[in-house]
Amino acid sequence: MGKVQVHIPVLLKEVVTSFEGLNNGVFVDATLGMGGHTREILEQIPNSSIIGIDLDSEAVMLARQNLKNFGNRVNIAKGNYVDMVQIARNFNKLNVDGVLLDLGFSSVQIDDAKRGFSFKYDSELDMRFDKTKGVSASDVLNSLDEAELADMFYTYGEERQSRIIAKSIVKSRPVKTTYELTEIISNIKRKSKSKIHPSTKVFQALRIYVNQELKNVEKGLEEAMKLLKFGGKISVISYHSLEDRIVKNFLRKNSIDCICPVSMIECQCNHTATIKIVNKKVIKPTEKEIKNNPRSRSAKLRIAQRIPLAEIV
Ligand SMILES: C[S@@+](CC[C@H](N)C(=O)[O-])C[C@H]1O[C@@H](n2cnc3c(N)ncnc32)[C@H](O)[C@@H]1O
């Protein structure tokens, strides 16, 4: 029998609560994964329907199986959420009541020994969500120059030893597997007393770079705004500070009327708020959830609502 592929959806109740009241609504689950959040929304929100998007064809296949009982209440597309407006249009939806972005990777992806996301398994360093496009992590390691590698590890992994790691990688090229990379890093960090695995930050940086995750988050949020109806809601779960900063700044910027620098005496930007922040305080998993699903521990949920038409003066 094959390995059971499981991903426990994070902040499930909180996500569904964020969409409460949007009965008969059309939603976009922009990061469908195994369809855990989609299933719960379909079960809890009467007459809802969902367009589910994922870059990963294996996720799309599994989600189709998991959600088949919902029939035409769910439409699934393999694609990038940066194209969500066009994808929704392909399903004849010009605007929607809610958008969910549950960022990052799923447990199914990281636990798949062949994908190269985890330093726990020895495999080719691939790390692409969409294996049909872009370049693999090993191509990146073997083609960027030393300074570019160091910058990537520092910017996307906040890795303090980025320079020495980059130097050692360049010396050891070609670096093709997770274990080869882990060995290089472990040799450098042999005396480290940190609680996290020595390779955590470099692996995070590589994954973000390979999948252009931060650019996608920024673009995905903009697309979601174009798609949301007046009064519609957006819920975003992020898992590390780089993502969360983008989400927080984006929502903040779109929830205020003036974005001029503070030094400006009179407003010149003509910017107007399009959304209201729903939860002033970020929502985090309870201790019980973290105990049940340790991978949820860094999750942060931010919710905003497109300002209802009636409130626009
Ligand atoms: C945290 S998982 C989502 C899990 C899902 N909420 C569930 O309950 O099963 C994130 C998913 O987003 C997908 N993903 C990442 N970047 C994407 C992008 N730019 N466009 C579409 N899907 C993306 C990944 O392939 C992964 O399956």
Side-chain angles (χ1 to χ4, degrees):
M1 206 160 67
K3 194 178 161 209
V4 182
Q5 293 170 302
V6 184
H7 172 85
I8 305 174
V10 172
L11 292 165
L12 187 58
K13 198 162 77 52
E14 292 80 353
V15 165
V16 174
T17 304
S18 75
F19 295 133
E20 231 167 40
L22 297 171
N23 298 358
N24 309 307
V26 178
F27 296 86
V28 170
D29 182 346
T31 49
L32 181 67
M34 301 298 99
H37 286 103
T38 281
R39 163 184 292 280
E40 195 69 8
I41 293 167
L42 290 169
E43 278 175 358
Q44 302 300 331
I45 308 219
N47 299 320
S48 54
S49 62
I50 299 205
I51 296 167
I53 303 169
D54 205 291
L55 263 180
D56 184 335
S57 39
E58 284 172 34
V60 164
M61 198 186 70
L62 289 167
R64 277 194 213 284
Q65 273 171 23
N66 292 344
L67 300 166
K68 62 176 186 283
N69 291 344
F70 292 97
N72 61 9
R73 287 180 68 199
V74 55
N75 286 298
I76 296 176
K78 176 187 177 288
N80 194 319
Y81 61 61
V82 301
D83 300 318
M84 72 174 94
V85 171
Q86 185 55 50
I87 293 171
R89 232 173 245 166
N90 295 345
F91 292 111
N92 296 320
K93 301 292 175 206
L94 298 181
N95 48 35
V96 301
D97 299 86
V99 175
L100 169 65
L101 283 150
D102 178 19
L103 301 172
F105 54 88
S106 72
S107 296
V108 173
Q109 289 165 326
I110 198 161
D111 291 337
D112 184 340
K114 300 183 300 298
R115 303 286 297 261
F117 284 109
S118 171
F119 40 75
K120 282 197 212 147
Y121 312 106
D122 192 15
S123 81
E124 294 280 313
L125 269 164
D126 190 313
M127 291 198 184
R128 285 170 298 170
F129 292 138
D130 181 352
K131 287 189 275 182
T132 64
K133 291 205 182 98
V135 287
S136 69
S138 70
D139 286 340
V140 169
L141 285 182
N142 295 316
S143 61
L144 294 194
D145 69 29
E146 191 180 315
E148 288 169 329
L149 283 175
D151 286 350
M152 185 228 310
F153 298 148
Y154 189 74
T155 311
Y156 297 143
E158 298 172 319
E159 172 56 71
R160 292 229 211 108
Q161 303 204 60
S162 58
R163 305 236 159 260
I164 176 162
I165 293 172
K167 190 172 190 169
S168 184
I169 288 170
V170 169
K171 250 202 216 155
S172 319
R173 279 172 177 173
V175 179
K176 296 205 165 199
T177 69
T178 50
Y179 276 15
E180 284 167 8
L181 178 59
T182 302
E183 197 184 331
I184 292 169
I185 301 166
S186 299
N187 283 337
I188 291 166
K189 295 193 175 186
R190 221 171 304 145
K191 293 197 180 125
S192 162
K193 292 200 173 73
S194 167
K195 279 191 202 139
I196 66 166
H197 189 284
S199 295
T200 301
K201 293 180 172 184
V202 167
F203 271 63
Q204 173 184 303
L206 260 175
R207 198 199 76 229
I208 291 175
Y209 183 89
V210 164
N211 295 294
Q212 305 196 354
E213 287 180 40
L214 301 185
K215 277 189 210 147
N216 284 346
V217 172
E218 186 96 46
K219 182 96 198 296
L221 290 167
E222 279 164 17
E223 286 276 296
M225 289 302 139
K226 293 182 202 156
L227 209 49
L228 271 187
K229 280 181 190 165
F230 293 110
K233 300 257 191 74
I234 176 165
S235 297
V236 189
I237 307 176
S238 60
Y239 293 88
H240 56 77
S241 56
L242 299 172
E243 273 171 358
D244 186 55
R245 201 172 305 142
I246 294 174
V247 178
K248 182 175 155 189
N249 290 341
F250 181 91
L251 296 183
R252 190 179 165 274
K253 183 176 158 196
N254 285 285
S255 66
I256 53 179
D257 275 333
C258 170
I259 53 169
C260 290
V262 275
S263 56
M264 202 83 90
I265 296 166
E266 214 169 278
C267 173
Q268 315 237 317
C269 66
N270 292 326
H271 185 267
T272 48
T274 49
I275 56 171
K276 303 193 277 194
I277 309 267
V278 172
N279 59 322
K280 298 278 180 268
K281 218 170 149 227
V282 77
I283 298 171
K284 295 181 185 170
T286 58
E287 275 177 29
K288 190 172 163 210
E289 174 166 2
I290 296 173
K291 204 164 163 220
N292 180 40
N293 178 18
R295 282 179 179 160
S296 70
R297 67 188 172 277
S298 57
K300 287 183 177 166
L301 170 63
R302 296 185 185 274
I303 307 161
Q305 180 184 31
R306 177 115 194 256
I307 298 177
L309 196 52
E311 292 177 25
I312 298 174
V313 280

